[in-house]
Amino acid sequence: MNIKNIANVDNETAKYIKLETERQKNMLEMIPSENYASKAVLEAVGSVLANKYSEGYPRKRYYQGNKYIDEIELIAIERAKKLFKVPYVNVQPYSGSPANAEIYLALMKPGDTLMGLTLSYGGHLTHGSPVSMSGAVYKGVLYDFGEKGKIDFDELEKLALKVKPKIIVASTTAYPRIVDFAKFAKVADKVGAYLLADISHIVGLVIGGCHPDPVPYAHVIMTTTHKTLRGPRGAMIMVTQKGLKKDPDLADKIDKWVFPGLQGGPHDHVTAGIAVCLKEAGTVAFKRYVKQVVANCKVLASELTYYGFDLVSGGTDNHLILIDTHNKGINGRLMAIGLEEAGIILNRNWVPKDEAPPFFPNGIRLGTSALTSRGMREKEMKKVAAWIHKAVEAMKTLEFDYKTWVDIAYGQKKDPQKRKRLDSTFYNLISICPDIKKTAQEIKNFCKRYPVPGIDF
Ligand SMILES: Cc1ncc(COP(=O)(O)O)c(C=O)c1O
C-alpha cells in the first residue's frame, strides 16, 4: 500500500506500518484466524467512507447524507443473502465478539443458559466462558468432547435436557474437524433451544463447499469477515428461514440489539470492504482457493505427523491444525516464541485436558489460509513442515531446562519473577541459535517468491 501521505504527516506511525508490511512479507503467517485481504478490500477500508456517520439502517438513518452509504450497505446485504441463501443479514457488527453479544441480547434474558464448547476443546471465549460477558451475564454451560475426542451427541442431549439452554452454540475456534450441524440441530430442536452456528473460522470453507452448510439447521448464523472469508475486520449476523419460522420477529430483534442496543454508527468503510469481499467470495477463483486451503492443510498435517508432532484428533478436515506439544518437551508458549524467531507465526493454544493455565498452554495452533492466499500449494507445505521440524529440533538443543521452566511458570515452584528471568534467557538463546537464524533467512528468501495480496512487492 502507498503510505506516502502518512509518512508526510506522521513519520513515527509510517515507520511501523512499513516494518509491519515487511514482517507480513517476510514471514510465514500461519495463525488460522488471520488472512490477507485483497487490495480491493484494503482500498475500501481506507476510503473516505470512514468519514461518515450513519446510525440506523438503509433508508432509516438518523443522519443526513447517507444516499450512497445506503446503497453500499444494501449491496453488502444482498450479496450475503445470495451467497448464503438466507432471508436476513445484518452487516453492521463491529466484530465477532460484539456480534455474538448482540445475538445473546436479542434471544436471552440475563441469567438464561447458553451451551457452548469449552475453550480447551476448541471453543471460543464468547460461547459462555466465565471470563467473557457471555458467561458473566448468562449462565454458560460448557460441553467438551469426552474420551473419544469427538462430541458425544447422546451426552450433549442429556446435558441439554438437564440445563434447558436458550441457545446452543455450534462453533469452534481451534478444532480441526467438521462441525456436524445436523446433529446439533437435533439436540437443539428437541430441547426447544435456538441453534447458533458461529462459522467465523470456517465461513470460506462453507461457501466453497468444503464444509457442511449450517443454513438448513441453524436459526442464527454469525461469522467474522476477516478469517477464511478474506475480508475486512468485521462480522455479519444472518437469520435463516428456520430461524424466522421459530420466531418471525427474530430479524427485528437482532437489528435492534445491534443498533441501538450495543453499537452506535456502523463502520461504513468496513461495510464497503464486506461488500467487496463478498463479491470476491462468489467467484470460481475463491472456491478454488478454499479447496487449496484444505488440501494444503492435509499435506501439512501428514508431514508434521511424519516429523513426530502430536496432532489433536490425529489430523485435519479443515484449514487448521492443533498440535499438542507435550511429546516435544517444549511448552506451547516457548515453542511459538521460538518459531517466531525462525520466521513462522502461529499462536499458542490450549489442548484437550491441558493441565496448564491459558497463558502457558501445551499446544500450538496453525493453519494454511494466509499461505494459500500467497499462492502456496502442497509442495510448499512440505517445506513449511520441514522448517517447523528443524526449528523445534534446534530449540531442543538449546541449553535451556524446559522442565524447570514449567515448574516455575505454573508448577510446584511457581515464581513469576523467576519465570520472567528464565524467559529472558530463552529469548537470548533463541536469538543467537544458528539453526534458527538460518531457517529465518531461508524463509525470508522463500517468501520473496510468493507475493502478499494487498502489498506491493
Ligand atoms: C468462532 C469465533 N467466534 C467469535 C470470534 C470473535 O471474533 P473477534 O475477534 O472479531 O471479536 C472468534 C475470533 O477468533 C472466533 O474464532
Side-chain angles (χ1 to χ4, degrees):
M1 297 296 277
N2 187 349
I3 58 160
K4 196 174 71 212
N5 295 298
I6 304 178
N8 284 342
V9 177
D10 174 0
N11 234 328
E12 281 167 295
T13 304
K15 172 180 145 193
Y16 289 108
I17 295 177
K18 268 190 216 150
L19 286 170
E20 172 60 12
T21 307
E22 289 307 304
R23 192 195 67 75
Q24 291 195 15
K25 274 162 57 173
N26 296 333
M27 297 177 111
L28 297 172
E29 294 288 344
M30 301 191 73
I31 294 174
S33 43
E34 293 182 5
N35 211 331
Y36 295 111
S38 68
K39 232 178 209 171
V41 168
L42 294 180
E43 267 175 20
V45 175
S47 70
V48 294
L49 302 186
N51 297 337
K52 192 68 195 106
Y53 239 106
S54 40
E55 281 180 355
Y57 288 100
R59 320 254 197 266
K60 290 179 280 182
R61 305 285 187 186
Y62 289 81
Y63 290 76
Q64 295 313 114
N66 277 303
K67 196 155 81 173
Y68 306 119
I69 298 293
D70 277 0
E71 296 307 316
I72 290 167
E73 189 167 332
L74 288 170
I75 289 171
I77 290 169
E78 286 312 310
R79 283 187 186 154
K81 279 185 180 172
K82 207 166 141 207
L83 202 55
F84 292 91
K85 300 190 182 65
V86 288
Y88 159 88
V89 183
N90 188 313
V91 293
Q92 294 194 5
Y94 296 148
S95 216
S97 305
N100 276 340
E102 286 148 7
I103 295 166
Y104 301 153
L105 285 162
L107 301 185
M108 293 192 286
K109 295 214 162 53
D112 280 351
T113 299
L114 87 151
M115 277 172 61
L117 180 62
T118 195
L119 230 53
S120 62
Y121 282 75
H124 192 259
L125 283 167
T126 57
H127 300 160
S129 163
V131 299
S132 113
M133 105 25 127
S134 64
V137 174
Y138 306 100
K139 194 168 162 225
V141 174
L142 302 171
Y143 56 87
D144 63 37
F145 287 158
E147 289 307 313
K148 290 183 192 142
K150 274 188 183 164
I151 294 174
D152 181 335
F153 283 93
D154 292 333
E155 286 301 315
L156 191 83
E157 186 179 308
K158 273 190 220 154
L159 183 63
L161 284 166
K162 191 170 141 207
V163 304
K164 297 191 178 53
K166 273 272 164 58
I167 297 179
I168 296 179
V169 188
S171 177
T172 61
T173 197
Y175 177 59
R177 299 298 184 181
I178 295 298
V179 181
D180 193 335
F181 295 116
K183 288 192 177 155
F184 270 105
K186 240 172 113 185
V187 177
D189 292 344
K190 184 155 184 183
V191 301
Y194 284 101
L195 182 64
L196 163 61
D198 171 352
I199 58 168
S200 292
H201 261 269
I202 52 169
V203 55
L205 280 64
V206 169
I207 293 169
C210 296
H211 190 286
D213 184 1
V215 172
Y217 305 107
H219 300 98
V220 185
I221 298 172
M222 195 290 281
T223 183
T224 54
T225 48
H226 45 273
K227 300 185 173 89
T228 50
L229 194 56
R230 287 206 298 209
R233 297 199 82 88
M236 306 191 295
I237 301 173
M238 300 177 256
V239 175
T240 61
Q241 289 292 2
K242 185 176 170 180
L244 289 182
K245 204 165 153 208
K246 186 171 167 71
D247 178 358
D249 296 330
L250 198 48
D252 281 348
K253 285 180 189 163
I254 286 173
D255 274 351
K256 282 188 185 127
W257 278 106
V258 172
F259 173 82
L262 199 101
Q263 298 187 175
H267 295 174
D268 298 316
H269 54 311
V270 174
T271 306
I274 291 175
V276 174
C277 87
L278 289 171
K279 177 135 195 188
E280 292 174 342
T283 60
V284 175
F286 185 81
K287 286 203 170 70
R288 226 182 291 127
Y289 158 70
V290 280
K291 284 201 171 70
Q292 192 63 51
V293 168
V294 177
N296 283 353
C297 209
K298 282 188 188 295
V299 170
L300 185 64
S302 80
E303 292 291 305
L304 289 170
T305 306
Y306 168 78
Y307 289 120
F309 286 94
D310 179 10
L311 271 54
V312 171
S313 89
T316 182
D317 293 327
N318 61 19
H319 63 300
L320 71 84
I321 292 165
L322 186 60
I323 294 175
D324 187 324
T325 58
H326 280 101
N327 74 338
K328 296 283 180 188
I330 304 176
N331 178 269
R333 179 169 178 271
L334 297 181
M335 198 180 274
I337 291 169
L339 286 167
E340 175 169 4
E341 196 64 30
I344 300 157
I345 302 293
L346 41 69
N347 68 279
R348 62 187 188 269
N349 215 97
W350 250 347
V351 288
K353 300 202 184 100
D354 207 328
E355 74 285 5
F359 201 67
F360 309 113
N362 283 293
I364 51 170
R365 187 184 69 148
L366 64 164
T368 52
S369 315
L371 296 189
T372 310
S373 291
R374 295 183 79 161
M376 295 183 198
R377 299 172 70 93
E378 287 89 339
K379 77 174 185 329
E380 285 83 1
M381 294 306 110
K382 291 186 182 174
K383 282 188 177 217
V384 171
W387 276 318
I388 293 173
H389 167 64
K390 195 172 153 195
V392 170
E393 289 306 301
M395 281 179 232
K396 284 195 203 162
T397 66
L398 298 179
E399 289 211 10
F400 186 79
D401 187 345
Y402 292 99
K403 277 206 181 106
T404 301
W405 182 90
V406 166
D407 255 4
I408 283 160
Y410 63 88
Q412 305 275 324
K413 298 182 194 142
K414 194 169 159 191
D415 181 341
Q417 290 314 318
K418 204 165 170 193
R419 198 263 303 162
K420 280 184 192 151
R421 287 200 295 277
L422 273 188
D423 276 357
S424 301
T425 308
F426 182 74
Y427 296 141
N428 288 338
L429 288 170
I430 206 87
S431 68
I432 55 166
C433 173
D435 273 353
I436 297 275
K437 277 185 161 181
K438 192 163 166 258
T439 303
Q441 191 54 50
E442 282 171 13
I443 287 176
K444 194 172 169 188
N445 294 340
F446 169 83
C447 281
K448 289 198 174 84
R449 306 210 298 272
Y450 303 92
V452 174
I455 298 180
D456 293 318
F457 260 63

